[in-house]
Amino acid sequence: MEDRPITPGFVADALSCLPLAGIAPAPLLARLGLPEDGASPLSTTEYGRLWTEIARVTGDEFFGLAARPMRPGSFALLCHASLGSETLAPALRRAIAFLAVVLDDPRGELTIRDGLAVIELTTAEPRSAFAYRTYWLILMGVACWLIGRRIPLRQVSFACPAPPQREDYQSFFGAPVLFGQPVTSLSFEATWLRLPVNRDEAALQRFLRGAPGNILVRYREDGGMAARVRHLLASQAPADWPDFPELARSFGMSTATLRRRLHAEGQSFAALKDARRATLARQFLQEASLSVADIATELGYSEPSAFYRAFRKWTGGSPAASRP
C-alpha cells in the first residue's frame, strides 16, 4: 500500500474538533509520537492513527462534523452492511442509508443522470468542506475497496466557500473540484455501479485492520492516463500547452484512443486543463506583484473577464477576495 503525505491543512482540520471537546491537541499528538505543532504533514498511516485516536477520545469517527456523533465501531458496521451486495449499486445505497441513520445530517442520495452516478448531500445547516470531504472519503473509500478498483471521479462540488489555502483538494480528489455550488455532489461513470462486489468476511477483517489509513490511499487518483496528462500540464506554462491532437501524438496514440482512455477515467483534456489553471490561479494570487490582468495572461485567457468567470466557477468568489 503506497503511503502518501496528508497535508497540514487536513491535519489541522482533524485536530480542530479536539478543543471543542475540551481536549488539548498537543498531548494527544505526543502520545501518538506525532509532531506536536499539529502543522506538519503526516503519512497516511500516521493520519489513520490520529483519526482512530480522535474517534476514541471524542466518541466520534466523524470528527464532530455531523448532526450526531458517528460512534466508534460505526465504520466497521458500515462495511458489514455493504458487504452482502452483489454489485456496487446496492452496496452504495446501503452505505448511504447506513450513514443517514448514523449521522442524521448530512444525508446522501444516489441517482443516475445522463450516464453518470451522482451522489448529492443535503444538510439542514451549512457544513464545512472538511465535513463533506470526510463523508466522501468514508463512502468512496469503502466503495473502491468493495470492487477492488479505484473509481475515477468526474467532478466534486461543494455547497460552501473554498477553504483558505486548500489547493490540495484538487490533487486529493483527482477531478475538477468546484466550491460555492448550489449542491454538494460527487459524480462518476454509472458503469461502475454494475461491477460485482468481490470481497468476503476474511477480506473485510484484513481491511478493517488497516482502516482508516487504507481508505486514504485507495481513494487517491494517482495513476492512469489522466495522471500523465496532469504531469505534462504541470511541467509547462499554459501558453505552451499542446492542443489535443499534439497531445495525442506525444503519447503515441490517436486522438480517439486518448479521448476514450481519458473518458474511461472520468476525465477530459478540457477538465484537466481547467483544474490546472485553478491551482495556478490560487498560487499566482498570493503574489502581490501580479495584477489580475497579469494572472489572466499567465493562464492563457484572452481577457481578464474570462478569468473572472472561470475563477467564480471554481471557487464561488472573485479573485480579489482570494488575495492575502
Side-chain angles (χ1 to χ4, degrees):
M1 182 175 68
E2 190 175 9
D3 209 352
R4 294 296 187 92
I6 302 300
T7 56
F10 285 146
V11 176
D13 284 336
L15 292 172
S16 64
C17 70
L18 292 175
L20 299 176
I23 300 169
L28 182 145
L29 290 166
R31 189 163 63 248
L32 296 174
L34 303 176
E36 295 180 38
D37 59 5
S40 301
L42 300 179
S43 70
T44 53
T45 301
E46 290 171 332
Y47 192 85
R49 286 166 47 214
L50 177 62
W51 190 337
T52 300
E53 183 64 8
I54 289 175
R56 187 186 71 81
V57 299
T58 63
D60 190 349
E61 293 182 334
F62 205 77
F63 300 105
L65 300 170
R68 293 192 301 191
M70 184 173 175
R71 299 296 185 191
S74 297
F75 178 79
L77 290 175
L78 166 65
C79 295
H80 281 285
S82 307
L83 191 61
S85 306
E86 291 187 2
T87 63
L88 182 60
L92 263 181
R93 289 195 166 94
R94 286 185 185 182
I96 290 169
F98 182 92
L99 287 171
V101 171
V102 172
L103 302 177
D104 191 36
D105 181 77
R107 304 177 71 89
E109 181 181 7
L110 170 64
T111 59
I112 300 175
R113 306 175 196 164
D114 300 322
L116 292 178
V118 181
I119 303 171
E120 289 189 355
L121 298 184
T122 56
T123 60
E125 59 184 68
R127 300 199 180 276
S128 67
F130 184 60
Y132 297 132
R133 176 254 187 186
T134 301
Y135 187 101
W136 297 135
L137 173 60
I138 292 172
L139 180 68
M140 298 308 296
V142 172
C144 293
W145 174 78
L146 285 169
I147 61 173
R149 302 275 296 277
R150 179 180 287 119
I151 301 172
L153 304 181
R154 177 62 65 87
Q155 182 172 289
V156 184
S157 299
F158 289 84
C160 62
Q165 300 179 351
R166 294 297 195 274
E167 294 83 2
D168 41 7
Y169 269 75
Q170 175 66 48
S171 61
F172 181 84
F173 284 103
V177 176
L178 307 179
F179 290 97
Q181 301 303 299
V183 177
T184 296
S185 65
L186 174 149
S187 61
F188 55 90
E189 295 290 331
T191 51
W192 290 90
L193 295 174
R194 297 196 293 268
L195 291 185
V197 171
N198 56 12
R199 304 294 188 175
D200 57 21
E201 286 289 339
L204 176 57
Q205 294 308 313
R206 292 192 297 271
F207 175 66
L208 291 176
R209 284 196 293 270
N214 50 12
I215 62 173
L216 289 158
V217 175
R218 289 182 180 278
Y219 191 52
R220 296 183 65 114
E221 179 57 45
D222 294 321
M225 184 55 64
R228 293 178 63 186
V229 176
R230 287 192 195 94
H231 179 74
L232 184 145
L233 296 178
S235 69
Q236 301 178 4
D240 299 326
W241 287 348
D243 60 21
F244 195 68
E246 291 172 335
L247 180 70
R249 285 195 296 271
S250 72
F251 290 149
M253 60 185 68
S254 67
T255 56
T257 298
L258 178 57
R259 186 175 293 107
R260 183 171 61 253
R261 290 185 62 176
L262 288 173
H263 181 75
E265 297 180 22
Q267 300 291 348
S268 70
F269 187 41
L272 292 170
K273 289 191 295 183
D274 208 36
R276 178 59 184 166
R277 285 193 175 102
T279 298
L280 289 174
R282 295 187 180 95
Q283 293 174 359
F284 290 151
L285 285 168
Q286 303 306 304
E287 302 179 23
S289 61
L290 291 176
S291 68
V292 172
D294 292 334
I295 295 172
T297 300
E298 290 286 339
L299 295 178
Y301 291 101
S302 58
E303 54 187 25
S305 60
F307 170 54
Y308 272 95
R309 289 193 296 272
F311 194 84
R312 187 169 292 278
K313 181 185 72 172
W314 300 329
T315 69
S318 67
S322 296
R323 288 284 195 185

